[in-house]
Amino acid sequence: MTTENVHLYRDTDQPVVLRVEDLLGRMTLDEKLAQAGCVWSNVLVENGAFSEQKARELLANGTGHITRIGSTTALRPRESAAFMNNIQRFLLEQTKLGIPAILHEESCAGFTARDAAQFPQAIGLASTWEPELTEAMGAVIREQMLAVGARHTLAPVLDVTRDPRWGRMEETYGEDPYLVSRMGVAYVRGVQGDERNVGVVATGKHFLGYGAPEGGMNHAPAHIGPRELRETFARPFEAAIREAGLASVMNAYSEVDGLPCGGSKEILDDLLRGELGFEGVVVADYFTTRLLETHHKVAEDRGHAGQIALEAGIDVELPQLDCYGEPLKERIERGDLSVDVLDRSVRRLLQMKFELGLFERPYVKEEAASDAYGRPEQVALAREIATKSIVLLKNDGPLLPLDPHLGSIAVIGPSADDGRLQQGDYSYPAHVEMIYKRSADGDTEPNLSEESSFQAGPYYVPMVSALDGIRSVVSADTEILVARGCDISGDATDGFDKATDAARRAEVAVVCVGGKSGLTPDATSGEFRDASDLGLTGVQQQLVEAVVATGTPTVVVLLNGRAFALPWIAEHVPAILEAWLPGQEGGHAVAGVLFGKSNPAGRLPISLPRSAGQVPVYYNHKSGGGRSQMLGDYIDGSTKPLYPFGHGLSYTQFSYDNLDIDPPAPSPRDVVHIAIDVTNVGDIQGEEVVQLYVHDPVASCTRPIKQLAGFKRLAFDPGETKRVTFLLDLSQLAFFDQQMRFVVEPGVIDVMAGASSDDIRATGAFEIQGDARELSTADIVPTSAEVD
């Protein structure tokens, strides 16, 4: 292609930087403002179809982004692809510059769209302790999004969270910055792929400290010092940036030390771009800019809010142009804001569009879109992840696994036969609940419109409930007694009699309890759904107590996104499964573990508290924390978690032997090899998550009592031994000293290998020799593992 008959920005032979500058130089102020904003997809609809008239009104100057077709419509893949093609066709053919848009979507636990695979919620993904599965899920998300023309996802959540009162804990990978980093890097790699022009942009959110809100309340301030902010909360973002090329970041709604994250140059420019090396596009969490005026009270009006956000580094306002529209234009035209600041953001977005190849390939093949959905291998992956996410918290007796040929089983509880309750707040059904039509009494009306409809409705991929799964596993002669017992919420106990009768008649009772994850007022966890009480909602605890009182051996299955505080159940119920929100194949996963078709090996990515009064409780607290001085415990209970970080049982047993550390006296620049023999000493196949922890006992600043430094999930035959060698780069031990230098200090380092943060099976130490090493956070190298 030559430049004789085409603008330079359309010349594919030119470097992207020149194409960007050429296009930017041709743009009016209105066109630049349009690129820094977004248009809701559903406002481009009239009479059930794409409306050119609406497009002429709203897209005349183009747009940076289009907001979510998937989670706001009932469109199936082919119709969704056609709708996006219509939008792109209008932009390319009927606007002056022909700049394509980026369609962004959600995909925390699978693409949030009709017919898309619905995987376990993120807290369940983290419970697998197998990043490779997260990357595989990301590849499915990428394929399904690409098929309908979506090129940017607002995921993953990289927040480190230690407060289960916060409803969004379920969207995170837990409490530990190393585990969150490994899962986050895997997700970004899976979604973005190896080449930008055939990938989907991932968005790390929420920058920064959003997972540590005051009182566990959404959007509340985060009280975090500069060291902890960098060493703990920024660490997963930097890992995703440095290791996986994270292309987009979203701000947090909250503030840190008086600085609203969506309006702070110190956070979004100095820290994110300066210290962490981010070079991509920062998108606003929805309505962030307006919140600078209405929530944080740092802006006088919309224009002022827009200027603060733009100057801080918010490149694109989502979900629609508001503060970045006319209010920002007025401030630029009267000289309050230099257009150069706007150009900076528009330049970043245009570069992304060129790198995605949208100018050359703006359309997708509508007739092939459905081919990326519903394939057997995708369903199999959802089932594998769900199975590997289940954590066996307790198994006295042992009661589990159950015999599939038992004579009778009672399946009880509100979560036993409700597939909707197995999905997180960013699943497709949960998300479109916000826009269901509702009748006067608050019930959801059925959607009777055509399948190819823009009206969202309660559509699901095929969901396997726990009851479905149990029915598929037990013998034809097994009597299954079913009783709901009660609802997720409310005080009604009229179902108790049927539930206890079923339990008395059965050899074993499986009680499925939990919550409803979502964004509507009836949800018990999820965005906007914070809690002060961490027990089971409604009368579910009383239901469990009533079933246990029958004397029938009882298993409790927890299906929820929140880390419950359940000391009574932990004391009185012989077997407990934490299944989190396991997605579409959750029932098969639960039944497989209950009946020994699968040997559980999930591990907790967050400590389970004994009560809300313990919060925050997490394993890697600083020296001097984690106990009440002088006597240790509270006056009314233990300071230890109910179940610790990394905990999870198996149907077999493992031994740890022959810990070896080499070299024993490394320099601060060395890699230390830490090897341990792990043996399956039981008589059945099983998997073990081998966990490596380290501790710096004497340092110039207080350090965690232990910190996760490596892990590996391994499968073992009965009697099999594997030697795991962790390659610990000593950059993992660096911290910010008293002068805020990032250093590895000389001295003794304790080494711990085990099955959880509290179940340490082997200990040792090495001593770092020589002078302190000053380095950059960019020098951090993750721990790798070799297996013999």
Side-chain angles (χ1 to χ4, degrees):
M1 183 183 295
T2 68
T3 57
E4 294 179 4
N5 299 311
V6 69
H7 295 315
L8 187 149
Y9 76 87
R10 294 195 176 278
D11 186 349
T12 58
D13 292 331
Q14 297 297 319
V16 167
V17 64
L18 296 183
R19 298 177 74 185
V20 168
E21 292 306 315
D22 179 68
L23 179 53
L24 187 66
R26 299 175 187 276
M27 297 173 71
T28 65
L29 178 58
D30 287 333
E31 288 165 338
K32 293 176 180 179
L33 289 167
Q35 287 300 310
C38 191
V39 172
W40 276 99
S41 60
N42 53 18
V43 301
L44 301 172
V45 177
E46 197 168 30
N47 299 321
F50 172 74
S51 169
E52 286 203 11
Q53 176 59 39
K54 293 285 188 181
R56 283 192 290 273
E57 294 172 7
L58 298 168
L59 298 177
N61 293 309
T63 186
H65 274 232
I66 294 292
T67 294
R68 300 184 312 175
I69 295 172
S71 60
T72 58
T73 75
L75 294 178
R76 307 201 92 142
R78 180 168 182 160
E79 289 79 18
S80 179
F83 182 38
M84 191 59 200
N85 278 348
N86 284 332
I87 294 172
Q88 296 288 39
R89 190 171 293 110
F90 178 88
L91 289 168
L92 268 71
E93 296 178 3
Q94 299 193 46
T95 63
K96 184 187 75 176
L97 295 172
I99 304 174
I102 294 175
L103 169 62
H104 73 255
E105 296 281 6
E106 300 280 4
S107 64
C108 179
F111 180 20
T112 307
R114 188 175 178 186
D115 293 341
Q118 301 300 302
F119 295 94
Q121 182 68 306
I123 196 70
L125 281 167
S127 296
T128 69
W129 289 59
E130 191 167 344
E132 295 83 359
L133 291 175
T134 301
E135 185 169 350
M137 183 194 78
V140 173
I141 291 169
R142 168 164 41 95
E143 181 185 13
Q144 293 187 337
M145 289 186 66
L146 286 173
V148 296
R151 303 301 302 275
H152 189 139
T153 182
L154 305 183
V157 174
L158 298 177
D159 298 309
V160 174
T161 183
R162 292 161 172 174
D163 194 334
R165 295 174 300 177
W166 183 49
R168 303 192 74 173
M169 184 207 78
E170 65 180 56
E171 299 172 42
T172 78
Y173 299 123
E175 72 181 40
D176 179 77
Y178 187 79
L179 180 61
V180 176
S181 296
R182 301 331 311 148
M183 291 295 173
V185 166
Y187 182 100
V188 173
R189 284 174 173 162
V191 166
Q192 293 193 167
D194 297 327
E195 300 291 337
R196 182 67 51 83
N197 63 354
V198 289
V200 169
V201 170
T203 305
K205 62 184 188 184
H206 308 82
F207 200 80
L208 188 62
Y210 190 45
E214 178 182 272
M217 297 180 291
N218 202 34
H219 293 205
H223 303 292
I224 306 170
R227 288 179 180 80
E228 188 177 20
L229 190 71
R230 288 162 172 80
E231 293 174 5
T232 298
F233 295 94
R235 185 65 60 84
F237 289 89
E238 181 162 24
I241 292 165
R242 305 284 190 192
E243 298 178 45
L246 179 68
S248 180
V249 164
M250 175 181 280
N251 68 281
Y253 284 124
S254 52
E255 64 143 85
V256 177
D257 194 26
L259 302 176
C261 296
S264 169
K265 179 182 180 297
E266 291 87 345
I267 292 172
L268 295 179
D269 199 351
D270 297 349
L271 177 55
L272 177 61
R273 294 189 183 276
E275 293 184 40
L276 306 191
F278 179 68
E279 296 180 347
V281 172
V282 175
V283 297
D285 205 344
Y286 284 14
F287 311 108
T288 283
T289 44
R290 191 64 181 275
L291 289 174
L292 294 174
E293 175 195 359
T294 62
H295 181 69
H296 295 292
K297 308 292 187 181
V298 297
E300 301 168 353
D301 52 33
R302 287 192 299 161
H304 188 204
Q307 179 168 345
I308 291 172
L310 189 70
E311 289 180 331
I314 298 286
D315 297 316
V316 184
E317 183 179 31
L318 303 184
Q320 62 191 12
L321 266 179
D322 182 16
C323 303
Y324 277 20
E326 286 298 320
L328 200 61
K329 180 180 180 181
E330 292 175 5
R331 296 184 78 86
I332 292 173
E333 289 181 334
R334 67 171 180 251
D336 293 339
L337 173 65
S338 170
V339 73
D340 291 344
V341 181
L342 176 61
D343 286 351
R344 179 185 65 177
S345 289
V346 175
R347 185 177 286 112
R348 291 169 181 159
L349 181 64
L350 293 178
Q351 177 173 330
M352 177 172 285
K353 289 185 175 185
F354 281 117
E355 290 175 349
L356 287 170
L358 284 170
F359 285 84
E360 292 73 46
R361 296 177 304 283
Y363 308 118
V364 294
K365 295 179 180 179
E366 299 167 18
E367 65 280 2
S370 296
D371 295 345
Y373 293 74
R375 295 203 305 270
E377 66 268 24
Q378 297 168 348
V379 178
L381 179 62
R383 184 170 179 172
E384 180 184 4
I385 296 175
T387 298
K388 290 189 172 184
S389 72
I390 292 177
V391 183
L392 180 59
L393 296 177
K394 181 182 179 183
N395 189 23
D396 282 358
L399 177 57
L400 299 178
L402 301 175
D403 183 353
H405 297 283
L406 49 73
S408 58
I409 181 172
V411 183
I412 297 168
S415 302
D417 194 27
D418 191 335
R420 167 63 183 85
L421 299 183
Q422 295 175 186
Q423 301 187 74
D425 63 341
Y426 273 71
S427 67
Y428 172 68
H431 232 60
V432 296
E433 282 170 354
M434 292 188 294
I435 52 174
Y436 285 173
K437 290 182 179 179
R438 293 189 177 272
S439 60
D441 63 3
D443 292 332
T444 301
E445 295 180 356
N447 183 353
L448 303 177
S449 58
E450 295 291 332
E451 286 192 351
S452 296
S453 171
F454 286 88
Q455 177 64 47
Y459 299 118
Y460 297 81
V461 292
M463 296 292 300
V464 181
S465 71
L467 179 59
D468 294 332
I470 290 170
R471 283 175 171 152
S472 72
V473 171
V474 298
S475 73
D477 297 327
T478 300
E479 182 183 11
I480 303 176
L481 305 161
V482 181
R484 183 175 176 85
C486 66
D487 293 330
I488 289 294
S489 302
D491 299 327
T493 60
D494 52 306
F496 278 27
D497 287 346
K498 184 178 179 181
T500 54
D501 179 65
R504 289 188 186 96
R505 293 165 54 198
E507 296 176 28
V508 66
V510 175
V511 186
C512 299
V513 291
K516 178 182 179 181
S517 173
L519 299 91
T520 52
D522 64 329
T524 62
S525 70
E527 189 171 6
F528 316 129
R529 309 306 297 144
D530 309 319
S532 62
D533 187 337
L534 295 180
L536 290 167
T537 52
V539 294
Q540 293 181 91
Q541 171 88 19
Q542 293 94 308
L543 175 65
V544 175
E545 293 175 5
V547 172
V548 170
T550 67
T552 301
T554 301
V555 182
V556 166
V557 179
L558 301 171
L559 292 153
N560 189 68
R562 200 181 296 284
F564 286 125
L566 301 172
W568 189 94
I569 290 177
E571 181 179 354
H572 293 93
V573 174
I576 308 171
L577 291 184
E578 176 62 84
W580 302 111
L581 295 161
Q584 69 182 78
E585 285 290 296
H588 281 145
V590 168
V593 171
L594 285 174
F595 290 91
K597 303 295 183 182
S598 306
N599 192 345
R603 300 292 183 261
L604 290 177
I606 189 167
S607 306
L608 299 192
R610 296 177 182 273
S611 70
Q614 258 192 321
V615 173
V617 56
Y618 50 95
Y619 88 94
N620 54 346
H621 57 78
K622 293 290 189 69
S623 298
R627 67 189 305 273
S628 177
Q629 304 296 332
M630 295 278 295
L631 300 181
D633 284 333
Y634 296 110
I635 63 168
D636 54 355
S638 172
T639 56
K640 293 183 179 298
L642 186 63
Y643 293 106
F645 174 82
H647 172 73
L649 304 178
S650 171
Y651 295 151
T652 188
Q653 300 82 40
F654 296 90
S655 66
Y656 288 64
D657 302 287
N658 302 320
L659 178 68
D660 182 70
I661 300 172
D662 183 48
S667 79
R669 288 176 169 77
D670 280 345
V671 174
V672 176
H673 292 64
I674 302 169
I676 187 82
D677 288 339
V678 181
T679 303
N680 180 357
V681 295
D683 57 6
I684 63 172
Q685 189 275 342
E687 296 185 358
E688 175 77 339
V689 178
V690 184
Q691 302 167 40
L692 173 69
Y693 296 89
V694 294
H695 173 225
D696 187 344
V698 180
S700 59
C701 292
T702 57
R703 303 299 299 141
I705 63 160
K706 61 169 68 82
Q707 64 186 84
L708 183 68
F711 60 90
K712 186 68 176 178
R713 182 169 179 152
L714 297 169
F716 295 81
D717 291 328
E720 183 179 11
T721 297
K722 293 184 178 180
R723 187 161 183 80
V724 185
T725 302
F726 293 103
L727 279 63
L728 175 68
D729 190 291
L730 294 188
S731 61
Q732 286 287 332
L733 301 175
F735 62 92
F736 287 90
D737 69 5
Q738 295 177 0
Q739 290 75 45
M740 287 300 290
R741 300 173 304 178
F742 197 59
V743 298
V744 177
E745 292 184 340
V748 172
I749 300 295
D750 296 329
V751 173
M752 296 155 277
S756 83
S757 61
D758 196 48
D759 185 6
I760 301 301
R761 307 289 185 86
T763 61
F766 59 85
E767 184 171 2
I768 302 174
Q769 304 282 344
D771 297 331
R773 173 194 176 191
E774 185 172 355
L775 64 163
S776 164
T777 55
D779 298 322
I780 298 173
V781 177
T783 302
S784 58
E786 298 175 350
V787 182
D788 297 321

